Every structure is written in C-alpha cells, then in structure tokens.
Amino acid sequence: MGTKHNLLALLEQNRGSTVSGQEIARQLGISRAAVGKAAAALRAQGVPLQAVPGGGYSLAPQADVLTAETLRTYLPAPQYPLQVEEETASTNLAAKQWAIQGAPHGSMVVAQRQSGGRGRLGRSFASPGGGLYLSIVLRPGQSGNPVLVTAAAAVAVSRAVQQLCGIQLQIKWVNDLFYNGKKVCGILCEAATNMETGSMEYIVAGIGINYRTPQSAFAPELQPVATSLYPGGQATVPRAQLAAAVHTQLLALFETLDSRDFLPEYRAHSLVLGKQVTVLAQPPYTATAIGINDDAHLLVQTASGQTETLCAGEISIKPQV
Ligand code: BTN
C-alpha cells in the first residue's frame, strides 16, 4: 500500500482527533513533506481531510470514506480479499463472477451505488447513493443451507447496527430488516451447487442497507414502505465500519451455523411472530405466524386451524384487500 493509503488508514483509526504531521511522519516512516503531499493528494480525491496549519491532520467525525483502505482498518486480521467500487451494476453479480474465478471464503464486494441492484424473486433493488451495498462470498463445503444463511445474515446486520448505531431493527421473515415500520435492509442469498458432488460451491450473501439515503432518493412508490437509518444524513458511523461489522458478524455466525444458536435472537427480533400475515401464494390467504422452526422456516396457522410450514416465499404483514 502507498503512502496515501497508509495516511488514510491512520487518520481513520484516529477519526475525530488531530494527529500532528510529525507523529504521522514518525508512524509511517516518511518525511513531513511526504505527509503533506499525500494529504493534498487525498483531498484532491475528495477525501474530507482537514489540515490545521502547524497543528496536524484529521478526518471529520462525520467523514464517510468508503474505500478498501478504510474498510481494512475496521476488519480484524486475517484479511480477506476486497473489491470496493463507487458504483457497480450489482455487488451480487460481481461477487458471483469472483467466486467462479476462485474468490476464497470471506471475500467481499462493496459499492456505494448499484445501477442494477437485484432483489428477491427477480425484482430490482433500488440502490441510490447514501446506501451500503455489499456481497460476501461464503464457501460452505459439504453442508450449506441457504435459508439458514439468509436468516444468519439478517441477524448479522441486526447485531452490527445495534452495536454501532444503537438501533434495534426488526426482522421480517425471512430476510428483510425493518426500522420504524419500514424496510431499511434487504438480503439476497444466491448459491451454486456442484451437480457432481452435490456440495455447495459457494453462497453469495448480498446485503443492501439504506444507510444515510435521503428519503427523496426513493421512487414515489417506495416512499411509504422504505426508509433509511439516517435519512437526514446525521450518521456518525462510517459505512466502512458498518460493512466491516456486518462481515465480522456474518463470518462468526457462519462458523457455528449448524448449532442454530442464533435462532433465538432471530425469533426475539421477529416482526411477524404472533401477527396476522398474508401469505402471498396463489391465491393469497391470511394466517397467523406462530413460530420459526430450527431451519428458519415460518410456521403459520390458517383460519381453519391447520399449521403450515413455509420454507420460502413472501408474506405481507398488511392485510390484502
Ligand atoms: C430484496 O429485498 O428483495 C433483496 C435485496 C438485496 C439487495 C442486495 S444489495 C447488495 C446485493 N447486490 C444486489 O444486487 N442485491 C443485493
């Protein structure tokens, strides 16, 4: 990594406080002139780096620089391969291509915007600026249950947001996260199986978080149903830190996926349990969500008193009229 990258990482580690040019030069093993040159180059790239004459350099507390370097400062060792883009068509598409080329377990693609964000059931996923879009390559080996991974991804986001933002999100089975009654995060897990061995080649867990997306950035039809964590832009946690926290949480959950230890947490934050839901089957029907089993399948009780197990599909928490 070059001087510019090292300087950004150092300031990210000390965000909000000023580090003297002398101290930076000492830590990076370079001259003060080289520090000044790297700082100017970063500023020219749009990094909101403040220089106090004779006082040193700092990153503003609300600076939100999303690059591979800032992301690495928040990821614990061992380091994972990263691709960080300002804009891409879809981080899931990029991660799948990367997985096919051999990207190892834990590789992550991150973008600030997507031009062709993919949602579940062939839908698109609005991905305007201010959001955080990431896809993580998982290599499950012999076992691999995409529904459990999806549920684990929801818990990973819920934990990361709680830990960094102090906000408790609610989980709408199976993979949406809600804040103040509106969708704030969508998750799309895509998997490829080796037909000869029957084992899972890879799972790509794609996560889109409306982070400091202004409400006006959503299309009119999404306004009543979508929100973001900081619609007024008042976030103080950089998206690099949030992306790293989601990655760390998901990889930790993945290690013990078969134990299902995370399912009580998934149930505790469920938006649907105990509620009347509409199962969007053909034709749709109403039922009461009564449980989530150990495979993260939803148990519903129909009007006739029968219990049904939903393995996948869509439910709505609003009665269909
Ligand atoms: C849904 O709500 O239907 C799922 C949306 C999943 C969106 C994320 S954003 C990052 C990753 N890349 C994509 O194209 N989709 C997922």
Side-chain angles (χ1 to χ4, degrees), residues 19 52 54 59 73 104 115 117 121 123 126 154 174 177 183 197 204 229 237 240 251 256 258 267 292 311:
V19 190
V52 184
L59 266 185
T73 65
S115 54
L121 307 171
R123 291 189 290 240
V174 52
L177 286 128
K183 180 163 165 173
T197 62
V204 164
L229 284 171
V237 175
L251 262 70
T256 56
D258 290 341
R267 294 183 186 108
I292 290 161
C311 307

Side-chain angles (χ1 to χ4, degrees), residues 89-93 114 116-121 123-125 127 132-135 175-176 183 185-188 190 205-209:
S90 154
T91 57
N92 261 33
L93 274 187
Q114 296 183 119
R118 292 149 53 87
R120 289 181 68 229
L121 307 171
R123 291 189 290 240
S124 60
F125 184 76
S127 311
L132 173 63
Y133 312 101
L134 63 92
S135 299
N175 62 348
D176 288 339
K183 180 163 165 173
C185 169
I187 297 171
L188 174 65
E190 300 186 84
I207 296 169
I209 303 175

Side-chain angles (χ1 to χ4, degrees), residues 62-265:
Q62 70 277 14
D64 189 12
V65 185
L66 187 50
T67 62
E69 290 71 40
T70 54
L71 195 44
R72 281 191 199 289
T73 65
Y74 293 110
L75 280 170
Q79 286 290 347
Y80 295 94
L82 299 175
Q83 280 181 29
V84 183
E85 311 286 348
E86 215 162 293
E87 179 168 328
T88 188
S90 154
T91 57
N92 261 33
L93 274 187
K96 284 196 290 181
Q97 280 159 7
W98 206 12
I100 290 165
Q101 289 158 10
H105 179 72
S107 301
M108 175 159 68
V109 182
V110 182
Q112 310 198 26
R113 284 186 303 278
Q114 296 183 119
S115 54
R118 292 149 53 87
R120 289 181 68 229
L121 307 171
R123 291 189 290 240
S124 60
F125 184 76
S127 311
L132 173 63
Y133 312 101
L134 63 92
S135 299
I136 301 172
V137 176
L138 301 167
R139 300 275 185 188
Q142 285 309 309
S143 65
N145 177 337
V147 184
L148 268 190
V149 174
T150 301
V155 171
V157 174
S158 156
R159 283 184 183 175
V161 169
Q162 172 61 53
Q163 175 199 340
L164 294 176
C165 312
I167 294 171
Q168 184 56 61
L169 302 178
Q170 287 190 292
I171 303 170
K172 176 178 167 268
W173 183 85
V174 52
N175 62 348
D176 288 339
L177 286 128
F178 272 56
Y179 179 43
N180 289 336
K182 292 183 177 185
K183 180 163 165 173
V184 76
C185 169
I187 297 171
L188 174 65
C189 287
E190 300 186 84
T193 308
N194 181 321
M195 298 303 275
E196 278 173 27
T197 62
S199 67
M200 200 76 77
E201 290 268 331
Y202 64 80
I203 297 176
V204 164
I207 296 169
I209 303 175
N210 303 327
Y211 187 59
R212 52 180 176 80
T213 320
Q215 195 64 21
S216 59
F218 297 116
E221 66 275 17
L222 293 179
Q223 295 280 343
V225 291
T227 190
S228 73
L229 284 171
Y230 300 105
Q234 66 279 41
T236 52
V237 175
R239 284 171 296 173
Q241 190 174 8
L242 183 59
V246 170
H247 181 275
T248 301
Q249 293 289 354
L250 182 56
L251 262 70
L253 283 165
F254 193 76
E255 287 305 312
T256 56
L257 200 63
D258 290 341
S259 73
R260 276 115 165 123
D261 282 352
F262 69 96
L263 280 175
E265 195 176 337

